[in-house]
Amino acid sequence: MEKVLCSHATDVSHWDGYSQWYRLWFEHNNYHDEILITLMEMVAPGWKVLDIGAGNGVLSLPLCAIGCEVNALEPSSGMRNLLHREASSRGIDWIRVDNHRWEEFHDCSEPFDLVIACNSLHLTTLGIEDSLRKIVSMKSGNIFIVSEFQLDNCSEQFLSNQYSMAFRKKTKTESSFAYHSVHEAVNHWAYINRRLPDPDEEREIRSKLVWRHGHFWVQDTAFINMYWWNLNG
């Protein structure tokens, strides 16, 4: 799931309704391209993978397509609906979709070859640091973290006790929104803020819209940090 800067983004129910806006965002930008390229360079077919906060399956489904055994952890029913829809369109029916929150997840079977968390750990009640501690305790072979937040030195230090960092990358990516109408842009703002905009706020929303390729765009970019660790030994 992608970072949404509102106070209720940590609520699963928020994502149930936000899924329609996520789909609109996802279909009109290339935010994940560099993440997918990096991921596919590192993963081997047949790996057992846990994807924390899998969203619409943007990372899980390509891994399934190369033969990985993927457990997609996604607590939001709205986002799971997008995942199932996308899986069906690709003819993928072997993905395992788990509706538990990360805080509730406990898998006592064999360790995963890879644990992924893409813009999801900051949305948990555990927070980034304690979530990383939980991931480390699972002793998976590899850890891939993607976040618009940069990890602090403390997080990297306790990881280094058991893992070796393979790489750290920072890249700029597109994060623009495309709307079919001005009304749609206003409704998006209203959903995030849980109220209708006042006249001044609506004028500001309209002022940010640019007409391009048959849509009203709000141009935006993001910086994403990618971290990969390998289990020592």
Side-chain angles (χ1 to χ4, degrees), residues 191-231:
Y191 185 84
I192 291 175
N193 292 278
R194 295 187 172 180
R195 63 178 178 83
L196 293 173
D198 63 31
D200 287 339
E201 290 167 332
E202 183 165 341
R203 278 191 290 271
E204 183 179 0
I205 294 168
R206 290 172 177 269
S207 71
K208 293 179 179 178
L209 297 174
V210 176
W211 178 255
R212 180 167 63 91
H213 302 313
H215 291 80
F216 292 96
W217 289 82
V218 173
Q219 308 287 355
D220 195 13
T221 57
F223 287 95
I224 52 175
N225 302 283
M226 292 183 279
Y227 306 85
W228 190 287
W229 291 272
N230 307 119
L231 183 65

Side-chain angles (χ1 to χ4, degrees), residues 16 41 99 116 119 169:
D16 293 340
E41 288 174 346
N99 64 4
I116 301 171
N119 284 327
K169 297 180 182 179

Side-chain angles (χ1 to χ4, degrees), residues 1-2 15-27 54-58 61 74 76-90 97:
M1 295 181 190
E2 277 31 75
W15 291 95
D16 293 340
Y18 195 81
S19 59
Q20 63 172 311
W21 304 110
Y22 183 94
R23 180 184 175 193
L24 184 68
W25 172 84
F26 175 79
E27 291 178 348
N56 68 338
V58 60
L61 294 174
E74 179 48 63
S76 163
S77 60
M79 298 302 290
R80 288 198 307 274
N81 287 340
L82 293 184
L83 194 161
H84 287 303
R85 177 174 179 164
E86 185 66 22
S88 177
S89 71
R90 300 187 189 198
V97 181

Side-chain angles (χ1 to χ4, degrees), residues 1-231:
M1 295 181 190
E2 277 31 75
K3 184 174 70 174
V4 174
L5 299 179
C6 58
S7 61
H8 40 275
T10 56
D11 296 336
V12 172
S13 60
H14 167 79
W15 291 95
D16 293 340
Y18 195 81
S19 59
Q20 63 172 311
W21 304 110
Y22 183 94
R23 180 184 175 193
L24 184 68
W25 172 84
F26 175 79
E27 291 178 348
H28 291 91
N29 69 56
N30 59 0
Y31 182 98
H32 294 92
D33 285 5
E34 189 64 29
I35 301 169
L36 278 166
I37 290 170
T38 301
L39 181 62
M40 290 305 178
E41 288 174 346
M42 300 295 293
V43 174
W47 275 13
K48 182 179 179 183
V49 180
L50 174 66
D51 187 359
I52 302 169
N56 68 338
V58 60
L59 303 184
S60 289
L61 294 174
L63 292 175
C64 285
I66 65 168
C68 291
E69 179 187 340
V70 181
N71 186 341
L73 196 65
E74 179 48 63
S76 163
S77 60
M79 298 302 290
R80 288 198 307 274
N81 287 340
L82 293 184
L83 194 161
H84 287 303
R85 177 174 179 164
E86 185 66 22
S88 177
S89 71
R90 300 187 189 198
I92 294 175
D93 60 4
W94 56 90
I95 186 170
R96 178 184 175 190
V97 181
D98 190 322
N99 64 4
H100 286 95
R101 293 179 63 103
W102 170 234
E103 299 89 327
E104 306 164 342
F105 179 79
H106 300 284
D107 191 315
C108 299
S109 60
E110 295 182 6
F112 291 93
D113 297 298
L114 171 64
V115 174
I116 301 171
C118 181
N119 284 327
S120 57
L121 298 186
H122 68 285
L123 298 175
T124 68
T125 57
L126 292 176
I128 294 176
E129 186 171 327
D130 284 342
S131 289
L132 285 172
R133 292 184 186 279
K134 182 175 179 179
I135 292 172
V136 168
S137 72
M138 297 169 67
K139 300 187 184 303
S140 64
N142 301 270
I143 299 171
F144 184 43
I145 304 295
V146 181
S147 179
E148 292 182 22
F149 298 103
Q150 188 170 333
L151 298 185
D152 57 31
N153 292 333
C154 180
S155 297
E156 292 195 35
Q157 186 173 2
F158 75 75
L159 272 161
S160 67
N161 293 331
Q162 298 184 51
Y163 285 81
S164 299
M165 178 173 280
F167 63 77
R168 177 198 291 114
K169 297 180 182 179
K170 185 172 185 176
T171 187
K172 185 178 181 180
T173 188
E174 184 185 7
S175 189
S176 300
F177 247 101
Y179 301 98
H180 301 99
S181 67
V182 174
H183 181 67
E184 194 171 52
V186 172
N187 282 345
H188 181 207
W189 188 99
Y191 185 84
I192 291 175
N193 292 278
R194 295 187 172 180
R195 63 178 178 83
L196 293 173
D198 63 31
D200 287 339
E201 290 167 332
E202 183 165 341
R203 278 191 290 271
E204 183 179 0
I205 294 168
R206 290 172 177 269
S207 71
K208 293 179 179 178
L209 297 174
V210 176
W211 178 255
R212 180 167 63 91
H213 302 313
H215 291 80
F216 292 96
W217 289 82
V218 173
Q219 308 287 355
D220 195 13
T221 57
F223 287 95
I224 52 175
N225 302 283
M226 292 183 279
Y227 306 85
W228 190 287
W229 291 272
N230 307 119
L231 183 65

